[in-house]
Amino acid sequence: MNDWNTGVIEQYDLEVANIRKGRGAWIFETDRGLKLMKEYKGSVKRLEFEEMVLDAVKEAGMLKVDQYVRNREGELVSQAEDGTRYLVKDWFADRECDLKDTGEILSAVRQIAVLHRALRNVEAREEWNLKSMISPPLYKAMEKHNRELKKARNFIREKRRKNEFELCVIESFDRFYDQAQEAEDRMEEVYRTYRDSLERVYSVCHGDLNQHHILMGKEYVAVTEFNKMHLGLQTEDLYSFMRKAMEKHDWNPGLGEAMLEAYARVLPMTRPEWECLYCLFLYPEKYWKQINFYYNGNKAWVPARNTEKIAALKRQEECRMQFIGRIKDFIYE
């Protein structure tokens, strides 16, 4: 055990039996269960916000979350001799959700709905006014991404000699950009039309919900890593997890519908929420990510894998649009 982490962990009422590295942090086996310690560079106010919300989720008794542990002085952050600050939180030995397993995917979606239902019971406070705690309207990010798409397309157009990736982008750009623009326009219209309704469902969101942050225990599901938690639309959490799962299954419409039904049985969604989910899925996020990575990277050499990903998006397009059409059916049911 290193001197620095010994000095930090000694600030807690914990008896350590073993220590190992993991997840960019240190994992301790203690007399009070598994704990994770990692460096922290944010504000204490931010941590207090997260702690209060996670305490409320724990008290609801619906699922497990990785709560923070205060040191002997009652502080959320502990400092090493070199001035580096660390936090300690409860941790779990369970494995991540397997996106190849349909049963685990549906179980995870149900638990996301359980988490969202618990988070809706947490009342927002006036002091939660930090920029990191409040999400801007979803169409704002789409607007920014669309500017980036056009900038990259114009750059590629002006090149005299184009590589395979660039030719693939030029061939596919109009189709995906039209979807991106439609998603932005429709999302902005949803915010204008349903402003009051959306404000009523504005709640605490996880902020970074994917298979890596959902751990599958034998008798429970644990949700971890709430460091991007904020006030916003929980629909974005659902979309974030579902998109990863759908990409793994080539946008299987049947799986997508099963996930939507599993979530809605636990936490029914309003029409504005269905509209937002439709817009999120309509936006070609994976396409934008590939082009943005290219534009901000080494344009002289593009990995063949990037070209393959663009080609895969085109192959999956029919199934993807079938699934998006099914979301539209939910809107009008």
Side-chain angles (χ1 to χ4, degrees):
M1 188 180 297
N2 296 328
D3 290 340
W4 68 265
N5 57 40
T6 302
V8 173
I9 206 65
E10 284 178 349
Q11 299 176 44
Y12 295 81
D13 286 320
L14 299 170
E15 293 183 12
V16 178
N18 192 24
I19 179 175
R20 65 181 185 272
K21 286 185 177 180
R23 296 176 176 270
W26 293 88
I27 298 176
F28 295 83
E29 294 177 16
T30 79
D31 60 327
R32 292 169 54 191
L34 212 59
K35 308 297 176 186
L36 180 142
M37 181 175 74
K38 65 179 181 179
E39 184 177 351
Y40 181 68
K41 296 182 179 180
S43 70
V44 173
K45 184 175 181 180
R46 167 76 203 188
L47 275 186
E48 290 173 343
F49 158 66
E50 294 176 20
E51 182 190 47
M52 197 220 76
V53 173
L54 295 176
D55 281 347
V57 173
K58 180 183 179 181
E59 289 176 8
M62 296 178 180
L63 77 168
K64 294 184 178 291
V65 291
D66 57 338
Q67 293 179 289
Y68 295 113
V69 179
R70 288 180 178 263
N71 62 24
R72 288 193 180 97
E73 302 299 321
E75 303 292 338
L76 285 167
V77 177
S78 299
Q79 188 166 297
E81 289 186 1
D82 64 359
T84 306
R85 300 187 307 156
Y86 295 89
L87 59 79
V88 174
K89 58 183 177 178
D90 296 336
W91 200 244
F92 309 92
D94 310 293
R95 59 176 177 78
E96 298 175 354
C97 176
D98 183 1
L99 290 188
K100 295 179 181 179
D101 187 321
T102 300
E104 285 199 7
I105 290 173
L106 296 179
S107 178
V109 168
R110 286 191 291 269
Q111 292 304 311
I112 291 171
V114 168
L115 172 65
H116 284 168
R117 191 169 61 189
L119 291 175
R120 289 191 182 187
N121 292 325
V122 179
E123 293 186 10
R125 299 188 178 185
E126 286 189 20
E127 61 264 32
W128 296 353
N129 57 1
L130 294 183
K131 185 177 180 181
S132 65
M133 297 182 191
I134 303 174
S135 175
L138 296 176
Y139 65 85
K140 291 290 187 181
M142 295 178 176
E143 184 179 51
K144 178 176 179 291
H145 294 342
N146 287 347
R147 289 197 300 269
E148 294 165 345
L149 283 172
K150 291 178 70 174
K151 187 183 295 185
R153 189 270 311 272
N154 293 339
F155 172 82
I156 293 173
R157 271 183 173 176
E158 293 174 2
K159 290 190 66 175
R160 291 185 178 180
R161 297 184 63 180
K162 299 177 177 59
N163 59 37
E164 185 179 0
F165 176 84
E166 292 159 346
L167 290 171
C168 193
V169 169
I170 290 297
E171 186 275 331
S172 60
F173 187 87
D174 288 345
R175 177 192 321 158
F176 287 109
Y177 183 78
D178 287 347
Q179 293 175 8
Q181 191 60 60
E182 180 184 348
E184 177 196 334
D185 293 342
R186 182 162 179 164
M187 184 71 85
E188 187 172 5
E189 179 64 25
V190 169
Y191 269 79
R192 283 200 302 263
T193 304
Y194 299 105
R195 184 182 63 183
D196 293 341
S197 297
L198 291 175
E199 287 178 353
R200 283 196 294 272
V201 295
Y202 228 58
S203 307
V204 179
C205 308
H206 180 281
D208 189 24
L209 208 47
N210 56 49
Q211 71 275 19
H212 306 302
H213 300 156
I214 300 177
L215 308 182
M216 312 301 291
K218 290 183 179 180
E219 298 179 355
Y220 64 85
V221 173
V223 183
T224 65
E225 301 295 356
F226 286 80
N227 54 295
K228 293 186 179 178
M229 186 162 55
H230 60 269
L231 295 174
L233 291 177
Q234 294 176 335
T235 308
E236 194 172 9
D237 277 349
L238 177 61
Y239 160 76
S240 179
F241 178 82
M242 285 187 63
R243 182 178 67 82
K244 293 285 188 180
M246 293 298 285
E247 288 172 356
K248 289 288 185 182
H249 290 263
D250 292 326
W251 290 92
N252 182 320
L255 173 61
E257 185 169 344
M259 283 192 281
L260 293 173
E261 291 175 344
Y263 182 92
R265 277 196 292 269
V266 178
L267 185 61
M269 294 171 61
T270 64
R271 176 167 177 172
E273 289 176 292
W274 282 114
E275 290 272 10
C276 287
L277 190 65
Y278 174 85
C279 295
L280 287 167
F281 273 109
L282 179 62
Y283 195 91
E285 183 174 349
K286 192 70 174 286
Y287 187 79
W288 163 77
K289 283 186 174 180
Q290 292 304 311
I291 293 179
N292 196 52
F293 177 81
Y294 154 84
Y295 187 74
N296 292 299
N298 181 5
K299 303 177 186 64
W301 179 78
V302 181
R305 179 63 177 156
N306 293 48
T307 306
E308 292 171 5
K309 287 180 179 179
I310 294 290
L313 292 176
K314 293 191 291 184
R315 289 196 304 271
Q316 296 173 344
E317 187 63 5
E318 182 177 351
C319 288
R320 174 173 168 267
M321 295 310 295
Q322 285 180 15
F323 168 63
I324 291 173
R326 187 66 189 104
I327 299 177
K328 185 179 289 188
D329 292 339
F330 276 97
I331 294 174
Y332 298 109
E333 283 183 354

